[in-house]
Amino acid sequence: MNINNNMKIGIITAVSVIALFVLSLLITQAPATDNPAAKFGILTLLPPIVAISLAFITKETILSLFVGVFIGEFMLCVNDLNIVSSAVNAFLAIGNEVISCMADPWNAGIILQCLLIGGVIQLITKMGGAKALADSLAKRANTPRKAQLSTWFLGLCVFFDDYANSLIVGPIMRPVMDKLKVSRQKLAFIVDATAAPVAGIAIISTWIGLEISLIASGFKSIGMDVSGFGIFLQTIPYRFYNILILIFIVMSATTLYEFGPMKKAEQEARARKDSEPIKALEAPGFDEIQPVEGVKLTVWNAIIPIGTLVIGALISFYWSGYTTILSGENQALITLMKTAPLSFNGIFEALSASNASVALFQAALLASIVAILMAVLERIMTIEQAISEWVSGMKSIAITGVILLLAWSLGGVIGNVGTADYLAIVLKGTIPYWILPSFIFVLGALISFATGTAYGTMSILMPLTIPLAWAISPDIGFVVTATSGVLTGAIFGDHCSPISDTTILSSMGTSCNHIDHVQTQIYYAIFVAIIAILFGYIPAGFGIAWYICIPVAIIVMYIGLKVIGEKVDFEEIEEESA
């Protein structure tokens, strides 16, 4: 056994050394230029491809992300054929990149928000609130159909932020789904599919500020001064993937039809005995946390802290934007805030200008304080015990922070080697006008999948798409359709990517193995995306209205699900639950 392991290690080491030497040789022969995309060429795809491929092969997310970051840093450090020197410099550069990501205020706020929410969830669980809420939901969502639809509905309710969605809905619904023998993979899919797809089209969310600013800037580049919000509203009916994936969840839940790896996961969950433990498969979570012995179970021990988090987040969003506008130089917005701060326009502008990372951290901190006070005042725990449990909950999320830091580091390295720019240059060319919306959707999906960021993809593609669409067909409706392709394609690619932070958080929130989550949901995402292209963006490119495209796409999606899917029978469980 040891001999075989030593041989494997030796072979892997030898192959790695040869690969690094060949990579160094190719880079040293590349033309000298300050443009990374031109210098590295197709090699810019290497870091994301290595990270994603390793993730699927090894199922080790942290290792895969680390190797991807190392490859990117190695490429940037190559000056000659001395691979030892390049490797050492790459290793040192990884430390700088991770620290840089941690020092970024946005990233730091997200990690702190995740840690604090982890602490809140643990306190809610120890106070019996999570169990009481799960039992209450189980009485109403007493069949697997109702449980999946309840998860979908909760996902719609937490519309304002995709991160908060993943961290709130998953832990609440996990006990209900486990009791009804719905797989963790299906729960993770529903949570993930109601995170970014909902936040991306919500008119009040942490996404909208970036989206409308990119739209407005894109139209200014073609000499048109338009309302970014107005164009955003026009894109909503053409956000075919977002709309169809939300409908697909309902369709799958009500018909009980599954296909691909998800069907196998559901069949295994259905066959699980009540005494058999859930296969979380090394996933982080709160499965082993039990309420304090003898505590009175009440849903208010969950509703009040979670309600504080949600309401506090919305208030923090508003206050953050309000103070930002008043400290700015836009006199029109300052006048609006002073004269009508609570009008629709005032609220919208404040939310658009808010710092979502800081606002969510503030809301999570407030929810933490409320949960600790409740635990003490209800005599469930002492102040020392409550703080200890809160800190313990944060420790449960620590692994997620490591994964997020590596994912962000990979995104930074990918940006430095010019991956997104290379894809945009290679894939952009002379194409028929009617295919442009579909082309933009696919291009956005590829960039987002490779980089793991919808925000970055939108920022890269929007300045290219609007002028290109206007040049091909100077029709505002056509430009709106192409614009929706950017916004939706970025979300589709992000939804599928194993290095996406939203995908990672959905796995964590549901205690589902990350790679299992990616492997099961990607079939569903691609199925919906294909329908979105064939019956959404291609017809829309010819000028067919959305109210024709969407019904046709829904019908085709239903037929496709029935044809390629198979019903995973819940009948026995439903009868027992009734």
Side-chain angles (χ1 to χ4, degrees), residues 65-121:
L65 289 171
F66 179 84
V67 173
V69 176
F70 175 80
I71 293 295
E73 294 291 2
F74 182 87
M75 292 170 59
L76 294 170
C77 292
V78 168
N79 292 314
D80 49 40
L81 296 180
N82 187 342
I83 63 172
V84 175
S85 174
S86 298
V88 171
N89 290 331
F91 180 79
L92 297 175
I94 289 176
N96 293 331
E97 184 67 41
V98 171
I99 292 173
S100 176
C101 289
M102 186 65 194
D104 181 87
W106 173 272
N107 293 345
I110 293 302
I111 289 180
L112 289 173
Q113 170 213 152
C114 293
L115 292 174
L116 293 182
I117 292 177
V120 172
I121 292 171

Short mmCIF file of all heavy atoms in Angstrom, two decimals, residues 65-121:
data_model
loop_
_atom_site.label_atom_id
_atom_site.label_comp_id
_atom_site.label_asym_id
_atom_site.label_seq_id
_atom_site.Cartn_x
_atom_site.Cartn_y
_atom_site.Cartn_z
N LEU A 65 -9.01 25.04 -5.19
CA LEU A 65 -8.89 26.49 -5.29
C LEU A 65 -7.44 26.93 -5.07
O LEU A 65 -6.93 27.81 -5.78
CB LEU A 65 -9.80 27.17 -4.26
CG LEU A 65 -11.30 27.10 -4.53
CD1 LEU A 65 -12.08 27.61 -3.32
CD2 LEU A 65 -11.67 27.90 -5.77
N PHE A 66 -6.77 26.32 -4.11
CA PHE A 66 -5.38 26.69 -3.83
C PHE A 66 -4.50 26.41 -5.05
O PHE A 66 -3.66 27.25 -5.43
CB PHE A 66 -4.86 25.91 -2.62
CG PHE A 66 -3.43 26.22 -2.28
CD1 PHE A 66 -3.12 27.31 -1.50
CD2 PHE A 66 -2.40 25.41 -2.75
CE1 PHE A 66 -1.79 27.61 -1.19
CE2 PHE A 66 -1.07 25.70 -2.46
CZ PHE A 66 -0.77 26.80 -1.67
N VAL A 67 -4.67 25.24 -5.66
CA VAL A 67 -3.85 24.91 -6.84
C VAL A 67 -4.15 25.88 -7.98
O VAL A 67 -3.23 26.32 -8.69
CB VAL A 67 -4.13 23.45 -7.29
CG1 VAL A 67 -3.43 23.16 -8.61
CG2 VAL A 67 -3.66 22.47 -6.22
N GLY A 68 -5.42 26.24 -8.16
CA GLY A 68 -5.77 27.20 -9.20
C GLY A 68 -5.10 28.56 -8.97
O GLY A 68 -4.57 29.17 -9.91
N VAL A 69 -5.12 29.02 -7.72
CA VAL A 69 -4.46 30.28 -7.40
C VAL A 69 -2.96 30.17 -7.64
O VAL A 69 -2.33 31.09 -8.19
CB VAL A 69 -4.74 30.69 -5.93
CG1 VAL A 69 -3.96 31.94 -5.56
CG2 VAL A 69 -6.22 30.92 -5.71
N PHE A 70 -2.37 29.05 -7.24
CA PHE A 70 -0.92 28.85 -7.41
C PHE A 70 -0.54 28.88 -8.88
O PHE A 70 0.45 29.53 -9.26
CB PHE A 70 -0.49 27.52 -6.79
CG PHE A 70 0.96 27.19 -7.02
CD1 PHE A 70 1.94 27.78 -6.25
CD2 PHE A 70 1.32 26.30 -8.03
CE1 PHE A 70 3.29 27.49 -6.49
CE2 PHE A 70 2.65 26.01 -8.27
CZ PHE A 70 3.65 26.60 -7.50
N ILE A 71 -1.32 28.21 -9.72
CA ILE A 71 -1.01 28.19 -11.15
C ILE A 71 -1.04 29.61 -11.71
O ILE A 71 -0.15 30.02 -12.49
CB ILE A 71 -2.02 27.31 -11.92
CG1 ILE A 71 -1.85 25.84 -11.53
CG2 ILE A 71 -1.86 27.48 -13.43
CD1 ILE A 71 -0.52 25.24 -11.91
N GLY A 72 -2.06 30.40 -11.33
CA GLY A 72 -2.14 31.78 -11.82
C GLY A 72 -0.98 32.62 -11.35
O GLY A 72 -0.38 33.38 -12.13
N GLU A 73 -0.63 32.50 -10.07
CA GLU A 73 0.49 33.27 -9.55
C GLU A 73 1.80 32.81 -10.20
O GLU A 73 2.70 33.63 -10.46
CB GLU A 73 0.58 33.12 -8.03
CG GLU A 73 -0.58 33.73 -7.26
CD GLU A 73 -0.60 35.25 -7.31
OE1 GLU A 73 0.27 35.85 -7.98
OE2 GLU A 73 -1.49 35.84 -6.67
N PHE A 74 1.93 31.53 -10.44
CA PHE A 74 3.13 31.00 -11.10
C PHE A 74 3.29 31.63 -12.49
O PHE A 74 4.40 32.04 -12.87
CB PHE A 74 3.04 29.48 -11.21
CG PHE A 74 4.26 28.83 -11.84
CD1 PHE A 74 5.35 28.49 -11.07
CD2 PHE A 74 4.30 28.58 -13.21
CE1 PHE A 74 6.47 27.91 -11.65
CE2 PHE A 74 5.40 28.00 -13.80
CZ PHE A 74 6.50 27.66 -13.01
N MET A 75 2.19 31.70 -13.23
CA MET A 75 2.24 32.31 -14.56
C MET A 75 2.72 33.76 -14.48
O MET A 75 3.50 34.22 -15.33
CB MET A 75 0.86 32.24 -15.21
CG MET A 75 0.41 30.84 -15.57
SD MET A 75 -1.34 30.76 -16.07
CE MET A 75 -1.35 31.88 -17.47
N LEU A 76 2.25 34.48 -13.49
CA LEU A 76 2.61 35.88 -13.34
C LEU A 76 4.06 36.06 -12.89
O LEU A 76 4.67 37.11 -13.13
CB LEU A 76 1.68 36.56 -12.33
CG LEU A 76 0.21 36.68 -12.75
CD1 LEU A 76 -0.65 37.14 -11.58
CD2 LEU A 76 0.06 37.66 -13.93
N CYS A 77 4.62 35.04 -12.24
CA CYS A 77 5.99 35.13 -11.71
C CYS A 77 7.05 34.62 -12.67
O CYS A 77 8.25 34.78 -12.40
CB CYS A 77 6.09 34.36 -10.39
SG CYS A 77 5.15 35.10 -9.02
N VAL A 78 6.65 34.00 -13.76
CA VAL A 78 7.64 33.41 -14.69
C VAL A 78 8.41 34.51 -15.42
O VAL A 78 7.81 35.37 -16.08
CB VAL A 78 6.94 32.48 -15.70
CG1 VAL A 78 7.90 32.11 -16.83
CG2 VAL A 78 6.46 31.22 -15.01
N ASN A 79 9.73 34.48 -15.28
CA ASN A 79 10.61 35.37 -16.04
C ASN A 79 11.62 34.59 -16.87
O ASN A 79 12.18 35.10 -17.83
CB ASN A 79 11.36 36.32 -15.10
CG ASN A 79 10.43 37.32 -14.44
OD1 ASN A 79 9.58 37.92 -15.10
ND2 ASN A 79 10.58 37.51 -13.13
N ASP A 80 11.88 33.35 -16.46
CA ASP A 80 12.82 32.48 -17.16
C ASP A 80 12.41 31.03 -16.93
O ASP A 80 11.29 30.78 -16.50
CB ASP A 80 14.26 32.73 -16.67
CG ASP A 80 14.35 32.72 -15.15
OD1 ASP A 80 13.67 31.87 -14.52
OD2 ASP A 80 15.08 33.56 -14.57
N LEU A 81 13.29 30.10 -17.19
CA LEU A 81 12.96 28.67 -17.05
C LEU A 81 13.29 28.13 -15.66
O LEU A 81 13.22 26.91 -15.45
CB LEU A 81 13.70 27.86 -18.12
CG LEU A 81 13.31 28.17 -19.57
CD1 LEU A 81 14.12 27.31 -20.53
CD2 LEU A 81 11.83 27.96 -19.78
N ASN A 82 13.61 28.98 -14.74
CA ASN A 82 13.89 28.55 -13.37
C ASN A 82 12.56 28.36 -12.64
O ASN A 82 12.03 29.28 -12.03
CB ASN A 82 14.75 29.58 -12.65
CG ASN A 82 15.21 29.10 -11.28
OD1 ASN A 82 14.65 28.16 -10.72
ND2 ASN A 82 16.25 29.75 -10.74
N ILE A 83 12.03 27.13 -12.67
CA ILE A 83 10.71 26.90 -12.10
C ILE A 83 10.73 26.92 -10.58
O ILE A 83 9.71 27.20 -9.94
CB ILE A 83 10.11 25.56 -12.60
CG1 ILE A 83 10.96 24.37 -12.14
CG2 ILE A 83 9.94 25.57 -14.10
CD1 ILE A 83 10.31 23.02 -12.44
N VAL A 84 11.90 26.65 -9.98
CA VAL A 84 11.99 26.70 -8.51
C VAL A 84 11.78 28.13 -8.04
O VAL A 84 11.01 28.40 -7.11
CB VAL A 84 13.34 26.15 -8.02
CG1 VAL A 84 13.47 26.33 -6.51
CG2 VAL A 84 13.47 24.68 -8.39
N SER A 85 12.48 29.06 -8.68
CA SER A 85 12.35 30.47 -8.31
C SER A 85 10.92 30.96 -8.54
O SER A 85 10.35 31.66 -7.70
CB SER A 85 13.33 31.32 -9.13
OG SER A 85 13.12 32.69 -8.89
N SER A 86 10.34 30.58 -9.68
CA SER A 86 8.97 31.00 -10.00
C SER A 86 7.97 30.42 -9.00
O SER A 86 7.03 31.10 -8.57
CB SER A 86 8.59 30.56 -11.41
OG SER A 86 9.44 31.16 -12.37
N ALA A 87 8.19 29.16 -8.60
CA ALA A 87 7.28 28.51 -7.66
C ALA A 87 7.35 29.16 -6.29
O ALA A 87 6.32 29.38 -5.63
CB ALA A 87 7.60 27.02 -7.56
N VAL A 88 8.57 29.48 -5.84
CA VAL A 88 8.73 30.14 -4.54
C VAL A 88 8.05 31.51 -4.55
O VAL A 88 7.33 31.88 -3.61
CB VAL A 88 10.22 30.27 -4.18
CG1 VAL A 88 10.39 31.16 -2.94
CG2 VAL A 88 10.83 28.91 -3.93
N ASN A 89 8.29 32.28 -5.62
CA ASN A 89 7.67 33.60 -5.72
C ASN A 89 6.15 33.50 -5.81
O ASN A 89 5.43 34.35 -5.27
CB ASN A 89 8.21 34.34 -6.95
CG ASN A 89 9.66 34.75 -6.78
OD1 ASN A 89 10.11 35.00 -5.67
ND2 ASN A 89 10.40 34.82 -7.88
N ALA A 90 5.66 32.45 -6.48
CA ALA A 90 4.21 32.25 -6.59
C ALA A 90 3.61 31.96 -5.23
O ALA A 90 2.54 32.48 -4.88
CB ALA A 90 3.91 31.11 -7.56
N PHE A 91 4.31 31.12 -4.45
CA PHE A 91 3.82 30.79 -3.11
C PHE A 91 3.75 32.04 -2.24
O PHE A 91 2.78 32.26 -1.50
CB PHE A 91 4.73 29.75 -2.46
CG PHE A 91 4.31 29.34 -1.09
CD1 PHE A 91 3.28 28.44 -0.90
CD2 PHE A 91 4.92 29.88 0.04
CE1 PHE A 91 2.86 28.06 0.37
CE2 PHE A 91 4.52 29.52 1.32
CZ PHE A 91 3.49 28.60 1.48
N LEU A 92 4.78 32.88 -2.32
CA LEU A 92 4.79 34.12 -1.55
C LEU A 92 3.68 35.06 -2.03
O LEU A 92 3.06 35.77 -1.23
CB LEU A 92 6.15 34.81 -1.67
CG LEU A 92 7.35 34.04 -1.10
CD1 LEU A 92 8.65 34.77 -1.38
CD2 LEU A 92 7.17 33.82 0.40
N ALA A 93 3.44 35.06 -3.33
CA ALA A 93 2.41 35.94 -3.90
C ALA A 93 1.01 35.51 -3.45
O ALA A 93 0.12 36.36 -3.31
CB ALA A 93 2.49 35.93 -5.42
N ILE A 94 0.83 34.20 -3.21
CA ILE A 94 -0.48 33.72 -2.74
C ILE A 94 -0.81 34.37 -1.40
O ILE A 94 -1.94 34.81 -1.16
CB ILE A 94 -0.48 32.19 -2.61
CG1 ILE A 94 -0.46 31.53 -3.99
CG2 ILE A 94 -1.71 31.71 -1.84
CD1 ILE A 94 -0.34 30.02 -3.95
N GLY A 95 0.19 34.44 -0.51
CA GLY A 95 -0.03 35.08 0.78
C GLY A 95 -0.47 36.51 0.63
O GLY A 95 -1.40 36.97 1.30
N ASN A 96 0.20 37.23 -0.27
CA ASN A 96 -0.16 38.63 -0.50
C ASN A 96 -1.57 38.76 -1.07
O ASN A 96 -2.33 39.66 -0.70
CB ASN A 96 0.85 39.29 -1.45
CG ASN A 96 2.22 39.43 -0.83
OD1 ASN A 96 2.34 39.56 0.40
ND2 ASN A 96 3.26 39.39 -1.64
N GLU A 97 -1.92 37.84 -1.97
CA GLU A 97 -3.24 37.90 -2.60
C GLU A 97 -4.35 37.62 -1.59
O GLU A 97 -5.38 38.32 -1.57
CB GLU A 97 -3.31 36.88 -3.74
CG GLU A 97 -4.60 36.92 -4.55
CD GLU A 97 -4.76 38.19 -5.34
OE1 GLU A 97 -3.76 38.66 -5.92
OE2 GLU A 97 -5.88 38.75 -5.37
N VAL A 98 -4.15 36.61 -0.75
CA VAL A 98 -5.16 36.28 0.26
C VAL A 98 -5.33 37.43 1.25
O VAL A 98 -6.45 37.81 1.60
CB VAL A 98 -4.78 34.98 1.01
CG1 VAL A 98 -5.71 34.75 2.19
CG2 VAL A 98 -4.83 33.79 0.06
N ILE A 99 -4.21 38.01 1.70
CA ILE A 99 -4.28 39.13 2.62
C ILE A 99 -4.96 40.32 1.97
O ILE A 99 -5.76 41.04 2.60
CB ILE A 99 -2.87 39.51 3.12
CG1 ILE A 99 -2.32 38.39 4.00
CG2 ILE A 99 -2.90 40.83 3.89
CD1 ILE A 99 -0.88 38.58 4.42
N SER A 100 -4.66 40.55 0.70
CA SER A 100 -5.29 41.64 -0.03
C SER A 100 -6.80 41.45 -0.11
O SER A 100 -7.58 42.40 0.06
CB SER A 100 -4.70 41.74 -1.44
OG SER A 100 -5.36 42.73 -2.21
N CYS A 101 -7.24 40.21 -0.36
CA CYS A 101 -8.68 39.92 -0.41
C CYS A 101 -9.32 40.14 0.95
O CYS A 101 -10.42 40.67 1.06
CB CYS A 101 -8.90 38.47 -0.87
SG CYS A 101 -8.54 38.20 -2.61
N MET A 102 -8.61 39.71 2.00
CA MET A 102 -9.15 39.88 3.35
C MET A 102 -9.23 41.35 3.73
O MET A 102 -10.13 41.76 4.47
CB MET A 102 -8.27 39.12 4.34
CG MET A 102 -8.82 39.10 5.76
SD MET A 102 -10.37 38.19 5.87
CE MET A 102 -10.96 38.70 7.48
N ALA A 103 -8.28 42.14 3.23
CA ALA A 103 -8.24 43.56 3.57
C ALA A 103 -9.28 44.37 2.81
O ALA A 103 -9.60 45.50 3.21
CB ALA A 103 -6.84 44.13 3.29
N ASP A 104 -9.81 43.81 1.74
CA ASP A 104 -10.84 44.52 0.98
C ASP A 104 -12.08 44.70 1.86
O ASP A 104 -12.60 43.73 2.42
CB ASP A 104 -11.21 43.70 -0.26
CG ASP A 104 -12.25 44.40 -1.11
OD1 ASP A 104 -11.88 45.21 -1.96
OD2 ASP A 104 -13.46 44.15 -0.90
N PRO A 105 -12.56 45.93 2.02
CA PRO A 105 -13.70 46.17 2.92
C PRO A 105 -14.94 45.35 2.58
O PRO A 105 -15.63 44.86 3.48
CB PRO A 105 -13.97 47.68 2.75
CG PRO A 105 -12.66 48.25 2.31
CD PRO A 105 -12.04 47.20 1.47
N TRP A 106 -15.22 45.18 1.30
CA TRP A 106 -16.39 44.40 0.89
C TRP A 106 -16.23 42.95 1.33
O TRP A 106 -17.13 42.37 1.95
CB TRP A 106 -16.59 44.49 -0.62
CG TRP A 106 -17.67 43.58 -1.12
CD1 TRP A 106 -17.56 42.28 -1.51
CD2 TRP A 106 -19.06 43.90 -1.25
NE1 TRP A 106 -18.76 41.76 -1.89
CE2 TRP A 106 -19.72 42.74 -1.74
CE3 TRP A 106 -19.82 45.04 -1.02
CZ2 TRP A 106 -21.08 42.70 -2.00
CZ3 TRP A 106 -21.19 45.00 -1.28
CH2 TRP A 106 -21.80 43.84 -1.75
N ASN A 107 -15.08 42.35 0.99
CA ASN A 107 -14.86 40.96 1.35
C ASN A 107 -14.85 40.75 2.86
O ASN A 107 -15.41 39.77 3.37
CB ASN A 107 -13.52 40.48 0.77
CG ASN A 107 -13.53 40.42 -0.75
OD1 ASN A 107 -14.59 40.48 -1.36
ND2 ASN A 107 -12.37 40.34 -1.34
N ALA A 108 -14.21 41.67 3.58
CA ALA A 108 -14.16 41.56 5.04
C ALA A 108 -15.57 41.61 5.63
O ALA A 108 -15.90 40.85 6.54
CB ALA A 108 -13.30 42.68 5.63
N GLY A 109 -16.40 42.49 5.07
CA GLY A 109 -17.78 42.59 5.55
C GLY A 109 -18.56 41.31 5.31
O GLY A 109 -19.34 40.88 6.17
N ILE A 110 -18.34 40.68 4.15
CA ILE A 110 -19.05 39.44 3.83
C ILE A 110 -18.63 38.32 4.77
O ILE A 110 -19.47 37.57 5.29
CB ILE A 110 -18.79 39.04 2.36
CG1 ILE A 110 -19.41 40.07 1.39
CG2 ILE A 110 -19.35 37.64 2.08
CD1 ILE A 110 -20.89 40.25 1.56
N ILE A 111 -17.32 38.19 5.02
CA ILE A 111 -16.85 37.14 5.92
C ILE A 111 -17.36 37.36 7.33
O ILE A 111 -17.85 36.43 7.99
CB ILE A 111 -15.31 37.07 5.90
CG1 ILE A 111 -14.83 36.50 4.57
CG2 ILE A 111 -14.79 36.20 7.05
CD1 ILE A 111 -13.33 36.40 4.44
N LEU A 112 -17.31 38.59 7.80
CA LEU A 112 -17.81 38.90 9.14
C LEU A 112 -19.31 38.65 9.22
O LEU A 112 -19.82 38.12 10.23
CB LEU A 112 -17.49 40.35 9.50
CG LEU A 112 -16.02 40.65 9.78
CD1 LEU A 112 -15.81 42.15 9.96
CD2 LEU A 112 -15.52 39.90 11.00
N GLN A 113 -20.02 39.01 8.15
CA GLN A 113 -21.46 38.76 8.12
C GLN A 113 -21.75 37.26 8.23
O GLN A 113 -22.63 36.84 9.00
CB GLN A 113 -22.04 39.30 6.81
CG GLN A 113 -23.46 38.91 6.53
CD GLN A 113 -23.74 38.74 5.04
OE1 GLN A 113 -24.60 37.99 4.64
NE2 GLN A 113 -23.01 39.45 4.21
N CYS A 114 -21.00 36.46 7.48
CA CYS A 114 -21.19 35.00 7.52
C CYS A 114 -20.90 34.46 8.91
O CYS A 114 -21.65 33.61 9.43
CB CYS A 114 -20.29 34.32 6.49
SG CYS A 114 -20.71 34.67 4.77
N LEU A 115 -19.82 34.93 9.52
CA LEU A 115 -19.46 34.45 10.86
C LEU A 115 -20.54 34.80 11.87
O LEU A 115 -20.95 33.97 12.69
CB LEU A 115 -18.12 35.06 11.29
CG LEU A 115 -16.88 34.59 10.53
CD1 LEU A 115 -15.66 35.39 10.97
CD2 LEU A 115 -16.64 33.10 10.74
N LEU A 116 -21.02 36.04 11.82
CA LEU A 116 -22.03 36.48 12.78
C LEU A 116 -23.35 35.73 12.59
O LEU A 116 -24.01 35.35 13.55
CB LEU A 116 -22.26 37.99 12.67
CG LEU A 116 -21.09 38.88 13.09
CD1 LEU A 116 -21.46 40.34 12.98
CD2 LEU A 116 -20.65 38.56 14.51
N ILE A 117 -23.73 35.53 11.33
CA ILE A 117 -24.96 34.78 11.08
C ILE A 117 -24.81 33.34 11.57
O ILE A 117 -25.75 32.74 12.09
CB ILE A 117 -25.34 34.82 9.58
CG1 ILE A 117 -25.75 36.25 9.19
CG2 ILE A 117 -26.48 33.86 9.27
CD1 ILE A 117 -26.09 36.42 7.73
N GLY A 118 -23.60 32.78 11.43
CA GLY A 118 -23.35 31.45 11.98
C GLY A 118 -23.56 31.43 13.48
O GLY A 118 -24.13 30.48 14.03
N GLY A 119 -23.10 32.49 14.17
CA GLY A 119 -23.32 32.58 15.60
C GLY A 119 -24.79 32.70 15.96
O GLY A 119 -25.27 32.08 16.92
N VAL A 120 -25.54 33.48 15.17
CA VAL A 120 -26.98 33.65 15.41
C VAL A 120 -27.71 32.32 15.22
O VAL A 120 -28.57 31.94 16.02
CB VAL A 120 -27.56 34.72 14.46
CG1 VAL A 120 -29.09 34.76 14.57
CG2 VAL A 120 -26.99 36.09 14.77
N ILE A 121 -27.35 31.60 14.17
CA ILE A 121 -28.01 30.31 13.90
C ILE A 121 -27.77 29.33 15.05
O ILE A 121 -28.68 28.62 15.48
CB ILE A 121 -27.50 29.72 12.56
CG1 ILE A 121 -27.97 30.59 11.39
CG2 ILE A 121 -27.99 28.29 12.39
CD1 ILE A 121 -27.33 30.20 10.06
#
